[in-house]
Amino acid sequence: MTAVQGAIKQLENPIPELGLPSLEPVRDSHLTIAPGPNIMRIEQNFENFDSYGFSTANVSKFDIINMECTVPEVKIEFDYHFDGNILLIPVKGSGPGKINACKY
């Protein structure tokens, strides 16, 4: 478990000679959430989806296949485009977005 905790801390920066990207940020160029079948029928498209904070994870359990950890704070930045409706109310919009989640 100590070795895994150390590896996470080392991945705060990329290690190019090993072909390993950094954990700061974890990047996804495009993410789409399909509309739901009932009340909330909104297609959600996200671009430039960057998540920060995973290099601060504290590992509490580790075995070969499973790992449990706590991340004190996660910050997510993205561009979004929503199109759909909730019940009969149209929901449309686009722009920059940001989410900060903290453990208290």
Side-chain angles (χ1 to χ4, degrees), residues 29-84:
S29 61
H30 188 78
L31 173 69
T32 297
I33 300 174
N38 297 319
I39 296 171
M40 193 167 160
R41 299 180 60 125
I42 301 172
E43 182 171 320
Q44 302 171 58
N45 292 294
F46 301 92
E47 294 181 355
N48 306 319
F49 199 87
D50 293 344
S51 303
Y52 300 86
F54 294 106
S55 67
T56 64
N58 297 309
V59 180
S60 58
K61 181 180 176 185
F62 179 81
D63 60 43
I64 300 293
I65 298 175
N66 296 309
M67 180 174 78
E68 291 180 14
C69 60
T70 302
V71 179
E73 180 178 10
V74 174
K75 180 174 79 171
I76 304 170
E77 297 176 347
F78 51 87
D79 296 315
Y80 71 90
H81 176 76
F82 292 168
D83 190 3

Side-chain angles (χ1 to χ4, degrees), residues 9-31:
K9 299 292 183 208
Q10 290 179 15
L11 286 173
E12 185 173 359
N13 297 306
I15 305 173
E17 57 272 12
L18 298 177
L20 294 173
S22 71
L23 286 177
E24 299 296 330
V26 174
R27 292 201 161 150
D28 195 345
S29 61
H30 188 78
L31 173 69

